[in-house]
Amino acid sequence: MNDDRQSPFRDAHLDRDTAEHVPDTPQTRSPAYRLAFADDDFLCRDELRPVRLQLELLKPDLLLNEHGIESTIVMFGGARIPAPENKGGARTKTLAELSHFYDEAREFARLMTETSLRTGGRENVVVTGGGPGVMEAGNRGAAEAGGRSIGLNIVLPHEQAPNPYVTPELSFNFHYFAIRKMHFLMRARAICVFPGGFGTLDEMFESLTLIQTGRMERVPFLLFGRAFWEKVINWEALSDAGTISAEDLDLFSFVETAGEAVKIIDNWEPAPPRDSIPGR
């Protein structure tokens, strides 16, 4: 964080440190005496949820701004998809077969990061969920290209750590899924979705809905692996039923390789948000 101060008032860090060395008395031992912003128990109260939401929105935004990140390439995908060299240990035959998407994600991130470096690493910076599988592949490809990448982790009941390829200064952790999703999309210049499970589907449909309803600009929306996506989702059935319009099927494209995806992104013509919803 930027520590340059323009204020004539006493620094909050200094007061917090000073308050830790006050005389030990019944009054100073009381939780009521703690500075509010240094009181973890207070900050975790239910009534402070709006403040925690604001903090989770603000902290990554400030740091990304300070690091000069202007736009991102979003990579969603399954945490369980192994690297090809590890596919022998995959839990299912299908996961082993999907392992080639690890390499495609890695190559795609490498190519996009090479493009990003031409802008000083400010534009088209790869962002993933910071975990294993496809997320690891994305951060790994960016690191291999010599560039930075972002990891947006989420606290889960089981122990986990960011994958080792996330740029440490751009490795974030979230309590609120909703705020994490906002950070995925606030700077997005393309959204790339690899095969995955509930989390990937959740992120994909949330993003598609924002574009469908005109709440977000059109960006390249690329689904890697047509066979997978057409097996798990009957897109045409949604259109035939009228629950989406035929035009909604044009909001995304299928690709198979990193090269195809890069070509679409490189040739993308900016499109404004929808001002109406077809079929309504």
Side-chain angles (χ1 to χ4, degrees), residues 18-211:
T18 301
E20 291 176 356
H21 298 92
V22 296
D24 183 20
T25 70
Q27 291 76 23
T28 61
R29 288 196 297 271
S30 169
Y33 188 77
R34 298 173 193 158
L35 289 168
F37 61 83
D39 186 342
D40 290 341
D41 292 334
F42 174 68
L43 289 174
C44 288
R45 288 178 57 150
D46 285 348
E47 298 91 339
L48 270 290
R49 181 175 290 119
V51 174
R52 295 194 298 274
L53 286 162
Q54 184 179 16
L55 290 173
E56 285 211 341
L57 181 63
L58 186 60
K59 179 183 175 181
D61 195 42
L62 287 174
L63 285 169
L64 290 171
N65 285 338
E66 288 174 9
H67 283 279
I69 307 300
E70 296 178 5
S71 65
T72 57
I73 302 295
V74 180
M75 295 179 66
F76 295 134
R80 304 184 189 194
I81 293 177
E85 61 268 24
N86 298 325
K87 68 179 182 181
R91 192 167 57 87
T92 67
K93 180 176 180 290
T94 298
L95 280 174
E97 292 170 347
L98 291 172
S99 66
H100 73 279
F101 283 112
Y102 181 103
D103 276 349
E104 292 299 336
R106 181 177 171 184
E107 174 67 2
F108 171 74
R110 184 187 68 80
L111 293 172
M112 292 308 308
T113 302
E114 288 178 352
T115 300
S116 175
L117 289 172
R118 297 185 198 122
T119 69
R122 302 171 70 89
E123 300 280 355
N124 296 338
V125 178
V126 165
V127 56
T128 79
V134 166
M135 295 173 279
E136 175 188 285
N139 297 117
R140 183 176 180 179
E144 289 169 342
R148 301 180 295 175
S149 68
I150 303 163
L152 305 181
N153 281 81
I154 187 83
V155 177
L156 297 174
H158 55 275
E159 292 183 12
Q160 65 155 12
N163 72 66
Y165 302 103
V166 179
T167 301
E169 297 78 15
L170 301 176
S171 182
F172 302 100
N173 202 14
F174 291 85
H175 173 64
Y176 296 106
F177 270 100
I179 302 300
R180 178 175 180 252
K181 288 177 181 176
M182 285 191 67
H183 279 293
F184 268 122
L185 300 179
M186 284 169 64
R187 292 170 169 81
R189 289 296 174 266
I191 299 170
C192 301
V193 190
F194 293 78
F198 285 169
T200 302
L201 291 167
D202 174 50
E203 292 158 344
M204 178 183 72
F205 280 119
E206 176 100 19
S207 305
L208 269 179
T209 300
L210 288 170
I211 294 173

